[in-house]
Amino acid sequence: MRHADRTAGSGTGGSGGSVNGVSGVGGRQPAGVRATAARYALLPLRIFLGVTFVYAGIDKLADSAFLADSGAGSIGELMAQVRDGSAVPWLVDQALKDPTAFGYAMAYGELAVGLGTLVGLLSRPAAAGGALISLSLWLTVSWQSEPYYYGNDLAYLMAWLPLVLAGAPYLSLDLALSRRRRRQGSRLFT
């Protein structure tokens, strides 16, 4: 009975649902190296994906050949090359209607996703945007990779999913804004 009391949060220890000092809902925060590592486990992933997407966006914006409708190294040429082998040729057809605009949209999208992820601002929508970009690249550019694990876009898609689920709970502007709203007693959506 004593074990059941502790897991239900009604034990005499006053831990509010903690078992062996590990936090439950309303309990105290766990302490120690393992708890700190668990708390910040997604931070290296955030930094890697954020820096990578910022770099990819800047790299595209700085490359005038990439942003051209046609020619060597252009987004137009790339889309034309992958069209027939992609899983979603209709999506490539949309990009081919105006390759330059698509290239700019892609570059600014990567930049926004990367910056949002790095600073933790709108972190879940940013991660969802990163996952969407990675999914579209996997279904178009990387689709013909044989075997499938040679294409890196699928791995990027999978890497974004933990950030979609967890957001940026530490060292983020989302957390700072949430604390500020709580102090002021306001809500984001009223």
Side-chain angles (χ1 to χ4, degrees), residues 2 28 34 43 52 60 67 74 80 84 90 94 105 108-109 115 121 134 148 151-152 160 162-163 166 170:
R2 184 178 168 124
R28 66 178 181 247
R34 287 181 67 182
L43 191 57
T52 300
K60 286 174 180 64
L67 294 171
S74 69
D84 293 333
W90 58 268
Q94 294 301 310
Y108 284 120
L115 290 172
L121 181 61
S134 297
Y148 76 93
N152 64 351
W160 281 112
L163 297 179
Y170 294 99

Side-chain angles (χ1 to χ4, degrees), residues 10-33:
S10 59
T12 58
S15 61
S18 67
V19 177
N20 298 330
V22 177
S23 177
V25 176
R28 66 178 181 247
Q29 292 296 317
V33 175

Side-chain angles (χ1 to χ4, degrees), residues 46-60:
R46 264 181 61 200
I47 292 168
F48 170 75
L49 290 171
V51 167
T52 300
F53 269 58
V54 166
Y55 179 80
I58 290 171
D59 190 42
K60 286 174 180 64

